[in-house]
């Protein structure tokens, strides 16, 4: 599973790709303007922004030589199309679409001429970002971690950690267009190891308390958190609530836990 360290390296690579892509063209003497589009909030992604700037710097673009126009949707996916359109109106040189598939799709729909470099966790072909693995023939390219494909291995590990587990709660963000596909993959992975899933929609509207109360009432043995920028931003809250409700969380980019191991994981089962 990709961890935070790996993701920072990928963002550094993305920063390098932004200025290395041959399609990037600008008027002689003009400094490039890079549009940075992200579905989340800036605070939890500061390390990733630093990695992105590092990639730019490694390609010879210091802050004075390249301007970056940041757009943060604050986990309000509906804002992304307007933000992408605004970057196009500002005639940015290239758009770096980060923070998930929603950002990349918004950028793709906003322009067919400005180069786009994306960083996502899902399948770019299945979501319609590109038509082929090499992404040839369009104005968009990028990096896919394909984290969703790891669900089978994650459930195998879950079975090893909690041998008697029978029901696993799954947090899905209904605002994410990938949610139905994520749900199907998770359910299939759970069936292989003989588990049932309890799918729970979780977003800004629902908050976290109600879903955690539901999974406790339904007797869930563990919590599987789907790949989503919203859950990335609130990962510390999720882990803290999981400890309070005595359920083991399995999630991408889990934060460092400062308490005792038994406060997070409980007693071996």
């Amino acid at each position: 599973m990709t961890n935070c360290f790996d993701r920072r390296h990928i963002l550094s690579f993305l920063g390098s790709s932004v200025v290395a892509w041959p399609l990037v063209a600008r008027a002689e003497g003009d400094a490039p303007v890079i549009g940075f589009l992200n579905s989340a909030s800036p605070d939890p992604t500061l390390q990733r922004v630093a990695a992105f700037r590092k990639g730019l710097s490694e390609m010879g673009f210091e802050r004075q030589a390249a301007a970056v126009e940041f757009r943060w949707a604050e986990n309000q996916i509906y804002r992304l199309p307007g933000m992408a359109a605004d970057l196009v109106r500002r005639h940015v040189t290239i758009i770096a679409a980060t923070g998930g598939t929603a950002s990349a799709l918004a950028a793709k729909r906003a322009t067919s001429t400005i180069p786009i470099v994306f960083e996502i966790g899902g399948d770019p072909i299945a979501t319609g970002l590109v038509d082929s693995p090499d992404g040839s023939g369009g104005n968009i390219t990028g990096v896919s971690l394909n984290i969703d494909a790891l669900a089978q291995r994650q459930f195998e590990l879950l079975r090893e950690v909690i041998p008697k587990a029978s029901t696993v709660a799954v947090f899905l963000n209904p605002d994410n267009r990938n949610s139905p596909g994520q749900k199907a993959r998770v359910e299939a992975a759970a069936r292989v190891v003989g588990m049932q899933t309890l799918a729970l929609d979780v977003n800004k509207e629902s908050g976290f308390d109600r879903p955690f109360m539901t999974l406790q009432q339904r007797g869930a043995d563990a919590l599987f958190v789907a790949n989503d920028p919203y859950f990335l931003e609130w990962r510390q809250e999720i882990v803290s609530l999981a400890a309070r409700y005595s359920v083991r969380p399995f999630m991408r980019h889990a934060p460092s836990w400062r308490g005792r191991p038994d406060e997070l994981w409980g007693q071996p089962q």
Side-chain angles (χ1 to χ4, degrees):
M1 190 187 306
T2 300
N3 56 33
C4 296
F5 180 78
D6 295 326
R7 180 58 70 87
R8 288 198 296 272
H9 275 68
I10 288 167
L11 264 292
S12 179
F13 166 77
L14 195 68
S16 303
S17 301
V18 162
V19 293
W21 200 12
L23 288 178
V24 178
R26 60 182 184 278
E28 187 175 353
D30 289 345
V33 179
I34 300 164
F36 187 96
L37 183 65
N38 192 287
S39 58
S41 304
D43 286 348
T45 54
L46 288 178
Q47 289 180 321
R48 297 170 68 185
V49 172
F52 180 78
R53 286 196 178 278
K54 181 174 180 287
L56 293 177
S57 178
E58 288 173 350
M59 293 298 294
F61 284 80
E62 302 298 337
R63 293 198 180 196
Q64 308 93 290
V68 182
E69 290 274 350
F70 289 98
R71 296 293 183 274
W72 305 95
E74 305 280 347
N75 291 305
Q76 299 175 52
I77 304 300
Y78 69 88
R79 298 175 59 192
L80 287 170
M83 290 179 170
D86 181 57
L87 291 173
V88 172
R89 285 193 297 270
R90 291 175 180 271
H91 302 290
V92 297
T93 310
I94 192 167
I95 297 175
T98 67
T101 304
S103 299
L105 285 172
K108 180 180 180 180
R109 290 166 182 157
T111 178
S112 60
T113 55
I114 297 174
I116 300 164
V117 180
F118 63 78
E119 170 259 334
I120 65 171
D123 184 342
I125 297 177
T127 53
L129 278 175
V130 297
D131 296 325
S132 62
D134 62 4
S136 59
N139 65 319
I140 185 166
T141 189
V143 179
S144 170
L145 305 179
N146 209 6
I147 292 171
D148 294 338
L150 297 175
Q152 183 61 61
R153 181 54 183 155
Q154 289 172 311
F155 270 85
E156 290 171 356
L157 290 172
L158 195 157
R159 172 60 77 196
E160 292 176 14
V161 174
I162 316 176
K164 297 180 181 179
S166 61
T167 302
V168 178
V170 181
F171 278 4
L172 298 159
N173 184 354
D175 300 327
N176 187 334
R177 63 170 288 164
N178 293 328
S179 183
Q182 290 176 330
K183 182 174 182 286
R185 284 187 289 273
V186 168
E187 288 176 342
R191 282 196 298 270
V192 171
V193 295
M195 295 182 185
Q196 294 182 328
T197 57
L198 171 63
L200 298 170
D201 286 341
V202 183
N203 58 9
K204 192 171 184 179
E205 215 173 281
S206 70
F208 290 102
D209 285 321
R210 188 172 61 194
F212 269 103
M213 289 175 63
T214 300
L215 70 83
Q216 185 182 60
Q217 292 167 356
R218 298 284 294 273
D221 302 297
L223 169 62
F224 183 95
V225 182
N227 170 37
D228 187 90
Y230 178 68
F231 300 141
L232 168 62
E233 179 168 353
W234 290 96
R235 60 193 184 278
Q236 185 66 63
E237 178 77 6
I238 293 172
V239 169
S240 297
L241 283 169
R244 185 190 306 173
Y245 283 88
S246 301
V247 63
R248 297 191 181 191
F250 285 75
M251 63 187 300
R252 182 171 69 104
H253 294 329
S256 299
W257 181 252
R258 297 181 176 86
R260 301 192 314 273
D262 63 305
E263 291 178 324
L264 174 59
W265 296 107
Q267 297 301 316
Q269 296 181 19

